[in-house]
Amino acid sequence: MNQVLQELQPRLANIFNHLHQHPEVSWQEHNTTQYIANLLREANMEPHLFEDMTGLYVDIGKGTPKVGFRTDIDALWQEVNGVFQANHSCGHDGHMTMAIGTALLLKDMEHLLSGAVRILFQPAEEKAQGAHAFVEKGIIDDLKYLFGVHVRPLKELQDGTYAPALYHGAAKLFTGTIIGEETHGARPELGINVIEVGAAIVEGLQKIWTDPNISASVKMTQFNAGGTSTNIIPGKATFSIDARAQTNEVMEVITEGMERVKASVEAMYGAKIFLQVDAHIVAAIVNDEALQHMRAAITDVVGEKACAPPVVTPGGEDFHFYTYERPKLKATMLGLGCGVTPGLHHPQMTFNQDRLLIGVNIITRAILRAL
């Protein structure tokens, strides 16, 4: 396997460069999907694409796949050097490269596999929608194990170290509208000032109490009200709220607290508040058996000293939606310590690409152990 890996290295470097230079945002990954599909076809694999969405998957080996590996394929939309554009600043270009490398490696040893493996190339991770779409299509229904990977910043993992699990937190992104009553600035008693309503919501959010031993936060991140006239009390506003919690249970407490805040502020001001969840990212549900397979694979490849403890991180990942919806699925994510700097989602994010080949080796061995 090591010889095949070394032969793969220059090819994977070219694949990474192409993916890095051709990013596409969530649900628009059309060229990315076709590029990956063509690579797999060239290697005598039969990728499965969808008529109604981007993304794909491929099965390697005989029988019904029981072990899977998932990568995300979308990029962020952000300002880079003064220009808004699609940008791979979350490492999905590296994740795709490792998934393709794993598929090529498994295909080379297909005659030795004791079962089938499914590689999932999932769209729209950044919108927290892609995993849900794959679950709806039944793509993971037959799987017993599912592995993933994510590059990690130096703050969490030193370059050249690898973690067998990533404990991401939960996140909910809300948008809302406040309907008050517009009136003249000289007669505030005749109106309902939505700015004051918004301030009451902010104050209410600060009174949502959760377990102090578990990291959590809830805060308003956007608020828009009023026009260009300063003598009009505005009667309509829109806002956004970002909620984070390290566990799904604490996120439920926050959600219930927000409903109480909404009801009490409506009653206090006589306003109408409409609130909806735009994105829900669940906290990690890591299976110990899958974690042990990943830890053993890391030790096999790089030794015990380079095997770091599982990482607890406040960031979110929609990979965990698979286990949230399918609790019997045994899953974990590999944390790839590759010197991500200045940090994830930074427009100039870079990392040590030499670690991608090691990632392929670890992922492949974890899959073989699960088989």
Side-chain angles (χ1 to χ4, degrees), residues 307-351:
C307 184
V311 172
V312 177
T313 174
E317 230 301 344
D318 86 335
F319 174 86
H320 306 298
F321 188 81
Y322 293 111
T323 44
Y324 186 79
E325 285 295 306
R326 300 289 185 270
K328 292 183 179 180
L329 184 65
K330 301 174 181 179
T332 191
M333 293 192 85
L334 169 67
L336 196 80
C338 54
V340 170
T341 54
L344 293 171
H345 290 205
H346 190 283
Q348 308 297 338
M349 188 275 273
T350 62
F351 64 89

mmCIF file of all heavy atoms in Angstrom, residues 307-351:
data_model
loop_
_atom_site.group_PDB
_atom_site.id
_atom_site.type_symbol
_atom_site.label_atom_id
_atom_site.label_comp_id
_atom_site.label_asym_id
_atom_site.label_seq_id
_atom_site.Cartn_x
_atom_site.Cartn_y
_atom_site.Cartn_z
ATOM 1 N N CYS A 307 -0.406 10.640 17.750
ATOM 2 C CA CYS A 307 -1.845 10.471 17.917
ATOM 3 C C CYS A 307 -2.304 11.351 19.071
ATOM 4 O O CYS A 307 -2.002 11.082 20.237
ATOM 5 C CB CYS A 307 -2.189 9.009 18.187
ATOM 6 S SG CYS A 307 -3.971 8.690 18.295
ATOM 7 N N ALA A 308 -3.013 12.423 18.752
ATOM 8 C CA ALA A 308 -3.460 13.388 19.746
ATOM 9 C C ALA A 308 -4.790 12.949 20.356
ATOM 10 O O ALA A 308 -5.497 12.104 19.790
ATOM 11 C CB ALA A 308 -3.612 14.763 19.105
ATOM 12 N N PRO A 309 -5.157 13.505 21.498
ATOM 13 C CA PRO A 309 -6.489 13.216 22.067
ATOM 14 C C PRO A 309 -7.584 13.782 21.171
ATOM 15 O O PRO A 309 -7.338 14.669 20.340
ATOM 16 C CB PRO A 309 -6.456 13.945 23.422
ATOM 17 C CG PRO A 309 -5.018 14.236 23.694
ATOM 18 C CD PRO A 309 -4.364 14.389 22.361
ATOM 19 N N PRO A 310 -8.819 13.296 21.317
ATOM 20 C CA PRO A 310 -9.933 13.889 20.572
ATOM 21 C C PRO A 310 -10.020 15.388 20.819
ATOM 22 O O PRO A 310 -9.707 15.870 21.906
ATOM 23 C CB PRO A 310 -11.156 13.155 21.136
ATOM 24 C CG PRO A 310 -10.619 11.835 21.582
ATOM 25 C CD PRO A 310 -9.244 12.131 22.103
ATOM 26 N N VAL A 311 -10.425 16.126 19.793
ATOM 27 C CA VAL A 311 -10.479 17.585 19.859
ATOM 28 C C VAL A 311 -11.907 18.035 20.145
ATOM 29 O O VAL A 311 -12.858 17.598 19.483
ATOM 30 C CB VAL A 311 -9.999 18.207 18.525
ATOM 31 C CG1 VAL A 311 -10.249 19.710 18.511
ATOM 32 C CG2 VAL A 311 -8.524 17.903 18.317
ATOM 33 N N VAL A 312 -12.059 18.898 21.147
ATOM 34 C CA VAL A 312 -13.338 19.546 21.423
ATOM 35 C C VAL A 312 -13.266 20.950 20.832
ATOM 36 O O VAL A 312 -12.392 21.738 21.194
ATOM 37 C CB VAL A 312 -13.629 19.615 22.933
ATOM 38 C CG1 VAL A 312 -14.939 20.358 23.186
ATOM 39 C CG2 VAL A 312 -13.675 18.211 23.532
ATOM 40 N N THR A 313 -14.154 21.251 19.895
ATOM 41 C CA THR A 313 -14.097 22.519 19.177
ATOM 42 C C THR A 313 -15.486 23.160 19.125
ATOM 43 O O THR A 313 -16.492 22.452 18.970
ATOM 44 C CB THR A 313 -13.562 22.316 17.750
ATOM 45 O OG1 THR A 313 -13.647 23.547 17.020
ATOM 46 C CG2 THR A 313 -14.342 21.246 17.002
ATOM 47 N N PRO A 314 -15.575 24.487 19.262
ATOM 48 C CA PRO A 314 -16.888 25.143 19.213
ATOM 49 C C PRO A 314 -17.462 25.273 17.803
ATOM 50 O O PRO A 314 -18.621 25.641 17.634
ATOM 51 C CB PRO A 314 -16.594 26.534 19.810
ATOM 52 C CG PRO A 314 -15.158 26.784 19.478
ATOM 53 C CD PRO A 314 -14.497 25.441 19.570
ATOM 54 N N GLY A 315 -16.668 24.988 16.792
ATOM 55 C CA GLY A 315 -17.153 25.083 15.417
ATOM 56 C C GLY A 315 -18.212 24.031 15.122
ATOM 57 O O GLY A 315 -18.396 23.069 15.879
ATOM 58 N N GLY A 316 -18.908 24.197 14.018
ATOM 59 C CA GLY A 316 -19.962 23.271 13.623
ATOM 60 C C GLY A 316 -19.610 22.491 12.365
ATOM 61 O O GLY A 316 -18.772 22.920 11.573
ATOM 62 N N GLU A 317 -20.240 21.337 12.183
ATOM 63 C CA GLU A 317 -20.000 20.473 11.020
ATOM 64 C C GLU A 317 -21.259 19.660 10.754
ATOM 65 O O GLU A 317 -21.730 18.955 11.643
ATOM 66 C CB GLU A 317 -18.846 19.519 11.319
ATOM 67 C CG GLU A 317 -17.740 19.433 10.294
ATOM 68 C CD GLU A 317 -18.132 19.016 8.899
ATOM 69 O OE1 GLU A 317 -19.241 18.484 8.707
ATOM 70 O OE2 GLU A 317 -17.323 19.212 7.994
ATOM 71 N N ASP A 318 -21.791 19.730 9.550
ATOM 72 C CA ASP A 318 -23.041 19.009 9.327
ATOM 73 C C ASP A 318 -22.821 17.517 9.095
ATOM 74 O O ASP A 318 -23.781 16.768 8.917
ATOM 75 C CB ASP A 318 -23.876 19.656 8.216
ATOM 76 C CG ASP A 318 -23.526 19.188 6.818
ATOM 77 O OD1 ASP A 318 -22.386 18.743 6.599
ATOM 78 O OD2 ASP A 318 -24.395 19.284 5.927
ATOM 79 N N PHE A 319 -21.575 17.038 9.162
ATOM 80 C CA PHE A 319 -21.291 15.600 9.166
ATOM 81 C C PHE A 319 -22.080 14.902 10.271
ATOM 82 O O PHE A 319 -22.558 13.774 10.116
ATOM 83 C CB PHE A 319 -19.790 15.379 9.378
ATOM 84 C CG PHE A 319 -19.384 13.935 9.536
ATOM 85 C CD1 PHE A 319 -19.126 13.135 8.437
ATOM 86 C CD2 PHE A 319 -19.237 13.369 10.802
ATOM 87 C CE1 PHE A 319 -18.753 11.807 8.585
ATOM 88 C CE2 PHE A 319 -18.860 12.050 10.966
ATOM 89 C CZ PHE A 319 -18.618 11.262 9.846
ATOM 90 N N HIS A 320 -22.234 15.574 11.409
ATOM 91 C CA HIS A 320 -22.845 14.936 12.574
ATOM 92 C C HIS A 320 -24.357 14.778 12.434
ATOM 93 O O HIS A 320 -24.985 14.107 13.256
ATOM 94 C CB HIS A 320 -22.494 15.730 13.828
ATOM 95 C CG HIS A 320 -21.014 15.924 13.986
ATOM 96 N ND1 HIS A 320 -20.147 14.869 14.142
ATOM 97 C CD2 HIS A 320 -20.247 17.052 13.968
ATOM 98 C CE1 HIS A 320 -18.903 15.334 14.234
ATOM 99 N NE2 HIS A 320 -18.946 16.644 14.123
ATOM 100 N N PHE A 321 -24.923 15.378 11.398
ATOM 101 C CA PHE A 321 -26.356 15.183 11.143
ATOM 102 C C PHE A 321 -26.644 13.730 10.784
ATOM 103 O O PHE A 321 -27.745 13.234 11.049
ATOM 104 C CB PHE A 321 -26.819 16.113 10.014
ATOM 105 C CG PHE A 321 -28.307 16.111 9.810
ATOM 106 C CD1 PHE A 321 -29.130 16.871 10.622
ATOM 107 C CD2 PHE A 321 -28.897 15.353 8.810
ATOM 108 C CE1 PHE A 321 -30.517 16.867 10.444
ATOM 109 C CE2 PHE A 321 -30.271 15.342 8.615
ATOM 110 C CZ PHE A 321 -31.080 16.110 9.437
ATOM 111 N N TYR A 322 -25.654 13.038 10.210
ATOM 112 C CA TYR A 322 -25.852 11.631 9.842
ATOM 113 C C TYR A 322 -26.148 10.780 11.080
ATOM 114 O O TYR A 322 -27.077 9.970 11.082
ATOM 115 C CB TYR A 322 -24.616 11.096 9.114
ATOM 116 C CG TYR A 322 -24.385 11.713 7.757
ATOM 117 C CD1 TYR A 322 -23.307 12.563 7.525
ATOM 118 C CD2 TYR A 322 -25.247 11.449 6.693
ATOM 119 C CE1 TYR A 322 -23.092 13.131 6.285
ATOM 120 C CE2 TYR A 322 -25.042 12.015 5.443
ATOM 121 C CZ TYR A 322 -23.959 12.860 5.238
ATOM 122 O OH TYR A 322 -23.760 13.429 4.011
ATOM 123 N N THR A 323 -25.365 10.966 12.136
ATOM 124 C CA THR A 323 -25.590 10.176 13.344
ATOM 125 C C THR A 323 -26.784 10.698 14.141
ATOM 126 O O THR A 323 -27.416 9.951 14.882
ATOM 127 C CB THR A 323 -24.334 10.172 14.230
ATOM 128 O OG1 THR A 323 -23.798 11.502 14.304
ATOM 129 C CG2 THR A 323 -23.278 9.255 13.657
ATOM 130 N N TYR A 324 -27.085 11.974 13.995
ATOM 131 C CA TYR A 324 -28.264 12.554 14.656
ATOM 132 C C TYR A 324 -29.534 11.910 14.109
ATOM 133 O O TYR A 324 -30.467 11.602 14.854
ATOM 134 C CB TYR A 324 -28.275 14.060 14.425
ATOM 135 C CG TYR A 324 -29.349 14.829 15.147
ATOM 136 C CD1 TYR A 324 -29.216 15.142 16.502
ATOM 137 C CD2 TYR A 324 -30.492 15.265 14.475
ATOM 138 C CE1 TYR A 324 -30.205 15.859 17.167
ATOM 139 C CE2 TYR A 324 -31.479 15.987 15.139
ATOM 140 C CZ TYR A 324 -31.326 16.285 16.483
ATOM 141 O OH TYR A 324 -32.306 17.008 17.138
ATOM 142 N N GLU A 325 -29.576 11.709 12.785
ATOM 143 C CA GLU A 325 -30.743 11.108 12.136
ATOM 144 C C GLU A 325 -30.703 9.581 12.151
ATOM 145 O O GLU A 325 -31.744 8.933 12.087
ATOM 146 C CB GLU A 325 -30.845 11.609 10.694
ATOM 147 C CG GLU A 325 -31.341 13.034 10.572
ATOM 148 C CD GLU A 325 -32.776 13.175 11.050
ATOM 149 O OE1 GLU A 325 -33.648 12.441 10.557
ATOM 150 O OE2 GLU A 325 -33.016 14.008 11.946
ATOM 151 N N ARG A 326 -29.515 9.006 12.201
ATOM 152 C CA ARG A 326 -29.357 7.546 12.212
ATOM 153 C C ARG A 326 -28.487 7.164 13.414
ATOM 154 O O ARG A 326 -27.291 6.924 13.279
ATOM 155 C CB ARG A 326 -28.718 7.060 10.903
ATOM 156 C CG ARG A 326 -29.504 7.385 9.646
ATOM 157 C CD ARG A 326 -30.780 6.549 9.559
ATOM 158 N NE ARG A 326 -31.473 6.773 8.285
ATOM 159 C CZ ARG A 326 -32.397 7.698 8.084
ATOM 160 N NH1 ARG A 326 -32.744 8.513 9.080
ATOM 161 N NH2 ARG A 326 -32.982 7.833 6.914
ATOM 162 N N PRO A 327 -29.080 7.103 14.616
ATOM 163 C CA PRO A 327 -28.302 6.881 15.842
ATOM 164 C C PRO A 327 -27.498 5.585 15.868
ATOM 165 O O PRO A 327 -26.506 5.484 16.604
ATOM 166 C CB PRO A 327 -29.389 6.871 16.935
ATOM 167 C CG PRO A 327 -30.516 7.658 16.357
ATOM 168 C CD PRO A 327 -30.499 7.353 14.894
ATOM 169 N N LYS A 328 -27.889 4.588 15.085
ATOM 170 C CA LYS A 328 -27.157 3.325 15.075
ATOM 171 C C LYS A 328 -25.886 3.394 14.227
ATOM 172 O O LYS A 328 -25.049 2.483 14.274
ATOM 173 C CB LYS A 328 -28.056 2.204 14.562
ATOM 174 C CG LYS A 328 -29.202 1.859 15.510
ATOM 175 C CD LYS A 328 -30.019 0.693 14.983
ATOM 176 C CE LYS A 328 -31.141 0.346 15.952
ATOM 177 N NZ LYS A 328 -31.964 -0.797 15.451
ATOM 178 N N LEU A 329 -25.715 4.458 13.454
ATOM 179 C CA LEU A 329 -24.536 4.615 12.610
ATOM 180 C C LEU A 329 -23.318 4.908 13.485
ATOM 181 O O LEU A 329 -23.347 5.789 14.344
ATOM 182 C CB LEU A 329 -24.765 5.762 11.619
ATOM 183 C CG LEU A 329 -23.673 6.017 10.579
ATOM 184 C CD1 LEU A 329 -23.545 4.841 9.632
ATOM 185 C CD2 LEU A 329 -23.976 7.300 9.799
ATOM 186 N N LYS A 330 -22.250 4.168 13.271
ATOM 187 C CA LYS A 330 -21.020 4.338 14.045
ATOM 188 C C LYS A 330 -20.088 5.277 13.278
ATOM 189 O O LYS A 330 -19.631 4.928 12.192
ATOM 190 C CB LYS A 330 -20.345 2.986 14.282
ATOM 191 C CG LYS A 330 -21.220 1.996 15.031
ATOM 192 C CD LYS A 330 -20.568 0.622 15.127
ATOM 193 C CE LYS A 330 -21.484 -0.359 15.858
ATOM 194 N NZ LYS A 330 -20.883 -1.711 15.946
ATOM 195 N N ALA A 331 -19.838 6.445 13.847
ATOM 196 C CA ALA A 331 -19.121 7.468 13.085
ATOM 197 C C ALA A 331 -18.098 8.209 13.933
ATOM 198 O O ALA A 331 -18.236 8.334 15.151
ATOM 199 C CB ALA A 331 -20.117 8.462 12.484
ATOM 200 N N THR A 332 -17.090 8.733 13.251
ATOM 201 C CA THR A 332 -16.133 9.655 13.840
ATOM 202 C C THR A 332 -15.442 10.403 12.713
ATOM 203 O O THR A 332 -15.466 9.965 11.555
ATOM 204 C CB THR A 332 -15.098 8.941 14.724
ATOM 205 O OG1 THR A 332 -14.350 9.903 15.474
ATOM 206 C CG2 THR A 332 -14.110 8.119 13.883
ATOM 207 N N MET A 333 -14.827 11.538 13.061
ATOM 208 C CA MET A 333 -14.079 12.334 12.098
ATOM 209 C C MET A 333 -12.614 12.379 12.491
ATOM 210 O O MET A 333 -12.279 12.575 13.670
ATOM 211 C CB MET A 333 -14.596 13.777 12.039
ATOM 212 C CG MET A 333 -15.981 13.947 11.489
ATOM 213 S SD MET A 333 -16.352 15.697 11.141
ATOM 214 C CE MET A 333 -15.648 15.869 9.491
ATOM 215 N N LEU A 334 -11.740 12.223 11.518
ATOM 216 C CA LEU A 334 -10.300 12.392 11.722
ATOM 217 C C LEU A 334 -9.962 13.878 11.763
ATOM 218 O O LEU A 334 -10.370 14.637 10.882
ATOM 219 C CB LEU A 334 -9.534 11.718 10.577
ATOM 220 C CG LEU A 334 -8.032 12.016 10.474
ATOM 221 C CD1 LEU A 334 -7.277 11.434 11.666
ATOM 222 C CD2 LEU A 334 -7.471 11.482 9.151
ATOM 223 N N GLY A 335 -9.242 14.287 12.792
ATOM 224 C CA GLY A 335 -8.719 15.645 12.849
ATOM 225 C C GLY A 335 -7.316 15.655 12.281
ATOM 226 O O GLY A 335 -6.419 15.001 12.814
ATOM 227 N N LEU A 336 -7.118 16.374 11.169
ATOM 228 C CA LEU A 336 -5.836 16.380 10.477
ATOM 229 C C LEU A 336 -5.024 17.605 10.905
ATOM 230 O O LEU A 336 -5.347 18.729 10.516
ATOM 231 C CB LEU A 336 -6.057 16.397 8.962
ATOM 232 C CG LEU A 336 -4.845 16.034 8.097
ATOM 233 C CD1 LEU A 336 -4.676 14.514 8.036
ATOM 234 C CD2 LEU A 336 -4.976 16.591 6.686
ATOM 235 N N GLY A 337 -4.001 17.391 11.725
ATOM 236 C CA GLY A 337 -3.125 18.483 12.138
ATOM 237 C C GLY A 337 -2.166 18.831 11.009
ATOM 238 O O GLY A 337 -1.185 18.121 10.777
ATOM 239 N N CYS A 338 -2.470 19.908 10.304
ATOM 240 C CA CYS A 338 -1.686 20.252 9.110
ATOM 241 C C CYS A 338 -1.310 21.733 9.095
ATOM 242 O O CYS A 338 -1.112 22.316 8.031
ATOM 243 C CB CYS A 338 -2.454 19.872 7.845
ATOM 244 S SG CYS A 338 -4.115 20.560 7.774
ATOM 245 N N GLY A 339 -1.233 22.338 10.280
ATOM 246 C CA GLY A 339 -0.746 23.713 10.370
ATOM 247 C C GLY A 339 -1.626 24.743 9.702
ATOM 248 O O GLY A 339 -1.104 25.676 9.065
ATOM 249 N N VAL A 340 -2.938 24.627 9.834
ATOM 250 C CA VAL A 340 -3.847 25.612 9.233
ATOM 251 C C VAL A 340 -3.576 26.991 9.837
ATOM 252 O O VAL A 340 -3.650 27.182 11.047
ATOM 253 C CB VAL A 340 -5.317 25.219 9.472
ATOM 254 C CG1 VAL A 340 -6.242 26.360 9.074
ATOM 255 C CG2 VAL A 340 -5.670 23.956 8.687
ATOM 256 N N THR A 341 -3.231 27.951 8.976
ATOM 257 C CA THR A 341 -2.990 29.335 9.409
ATOM 258 C C THR A 341 -3.542 30.300 8.351
ATOM 259 O O THR A 341 -3.600 29.950 7.174
ATOM 260 C CB THR A 341 -1.473 29.610 9.573
ATOM 261 O OG1 THR A 341 -0.799 29.267 8.352
ATOM 262 C CG2 THR A 341 -0.878 28.807 10.711
ATOM 263 N N PRO A 342 -3.959 31.529 8.703
ATOM 264 C CA PRO A 342 -4.135 32.034 10.068
ATOM 265 C C PRO A 342 -5.257 31.328 10.821
ATOM 266 O O PRO A 342 -5.319 31.385 12.043
ATOM 267 C CB PRO A 342 -4.484 33.505 9.854
ATOM 268 C CG PRO A 342 -4.058 33.844 8.471
ATOM 269 C CD PRO A 342 -4.235 32.580 7.681
ATOM 270 N N GLY A 343 -6.161 30.678 10.114
ATOM 271 C CA GLY A 343 -7.261 29.968 10.747
ATOM 272 C C GLY A 343 -8.317 29.599 9.730
ATOM 273 O O GLY A 343 -8.322 30.092 8.596
ATOM 274 N N LEU A 344 -9.219 28.703 10.117
ATOM 275 C CA LEU A 344 -10.309 28.307 9.237
ATOM 276 C C LEU A 344 -11.194 29.504 8.910
ATOM 277 O O LEU A 344 -11.453 30.353 9.759
ATOM 278 C CB LEU A 344 -11.146 27.204 9.899
ATOM 279 C CG LEU A 344 -10.437 25.858 10.088
ATOM 280 C CD1 LEU A 344 -11.283 24.927 10.937
ATOM 281 C CD2 LEU A 344 -10.131 25.211 8.734
ATOM 282 N N HIS A 345 -11.621 29.574 7.663
ATOM 283 C CA HIS A 345 -12.494 30.630 7.131
ATOM 284 C C HIS A 345 -11.770 31.963 6.956
ATOM 285 O O HIS A 345 -12.399 32.950 6.584
ATOM 286 C CB HIS A 345 -13.763 30.821 7.982
ATOM 287 C CG HIS A 345 -14.720 29.674 7.874
ATOM 288 N ND1 HIS A 345 -16.077 29.809 8.105
ATOM 289 C CD2 HIS A 345 -14.541 28.369 7.564
ATOM 290 C CE1 HIS A 345 -16.673 28.629 7.943
ATOM 291 N NE2 HIS A 345 -15.749 27.747 7.617
ATOM 292 N N HIS A 346 -10.478 32.007 7.223
ATOM 293 C CA HIS A 346 -9.722 33.217 6.887
ATOM 294 C C HIS A 346 -9.502 33.225 5.375
ATOM 295 O O HIS A 346 -9.165 32.191 4.788
ATOM 296 C CB HIS A 346 -8.376 33.228 7.616
ATOM 297 C CG HIS A 346 -7.647 34.527 7.516
ATOM 298 N ND1 HIS A 346 -6.961 34.900 6.373
ATOM 299 C CD2 HIS A 346 -7.498 35.551 8.394
ATOM 300 C CE1 HIS A 346 -6.418 36.087 6.561
ATOM 301 N NE2 HIS A 346 -6.730 36.504 7.778
ATOM 302 N N PRO A 347 -9.691 34.376 4.705
ATOM 303 C CA PRO A 347 -9.592 34.387 3.237
ATOM 304 C C PRO A 347 -8.232 33.953 2.704
ATOM 305 O O PRO A 347 -8.128 33.506 1.563
ATOM 306 C CB PRO A 347 -9.899 35.852 2.873
ATOM 307 C CG PRO A 347 -9.726 36.621 4.131
ATOM 308 C CD PRO A 347 -10.074 35.696 5.242
ATOM 309 N N GLN A 348 -7.187 34.070 3.537
ATOM 310 C CA GLN A 348 -5.841 33.678 3.108
ATOM 311 C C GLN A 348 -5.403 32.361 3.750
ATOM 312 O O GLN A 348 -4.212 32.090 3.870
ATOM 313 C CB GLN A 348 -4.836 34.784 3.459
ATOM 314 C CG GLN A 348 -5.226 36.176 2.975
ATOM 315 C CD GLN A 348 -5.323 36.287 1.476
ATOM 316 O OE1 GLN A 348 -4.729 35.488 0.746
ATOM 317 N NE2 GLN A 348 -6.070 37.266 0.987
ATOM 318 N N MET A 349 -6.347 31.535 4.154
ATOM 319 C CA MET A 349 -6.020 30.292 4.847
ATOM 320 C C MET A 349 -5.128 29.383 4.014
ATOM 321 O O MET A 349 -5.361 29.179 2.824
ATOM 322 C CB MET A 349 -7.303 29.542 5.219
ATOM 323 C CG MET A 349 -7.070 28.317 6.119
ATOM 324 S SD MET A 349 -6.660 26.802 5.215
ATOM 325 C CE MET A 349 -8.273 26.155 4.863
ATOM 326 N N THR A 350 -4.092 28.839 4.653
ATOM 327 C CA THR A 350 -3.216 27.863 4.014
ATOM 328 C C THR A 350 -2.935 26.731 4.999
ATOM 329 O O THR A 350 -3.142 26.881 6.201
ATOM 330 C CB THR A 350 -1.880 28.478 3.570
ATOM 331 O OG1 THR A 350 -1.180 28.975 4.725
ATOM 332 C CG2 THR A 350 -2.086 29.617 2.578
ATOM 333 N N PHE A 351 -2.452 25.604 4.478
ATOM 334 C CA PHE A 351 -2.058 24.495 5.356
ATOM 335 C C PHE A 351 -1.011 23.647 4.658
ATOM 336 O O PHE A 351 -0.740 23.807 3.454
ATOM 337 C CB PHE A 351 -3.266 23.657 5.770
ATOM 338 C CG PHE A 351 -3.966 22.955 4.622
ATOM 339 C CD1 PHE A 351 -3.589 21.692 4.220
ATOM 340 C CD2 PHE A 351 -5.029 23.568 3.966
ATOM 341 C CE1 PHE A 351 -4.231 21.039 3.180
ATOM 342 C CE2 PHE A 351 -5.691 22.929 2.922
ATOM 343 C CZ PHE A 351 -5.287 21.657 2.525
#
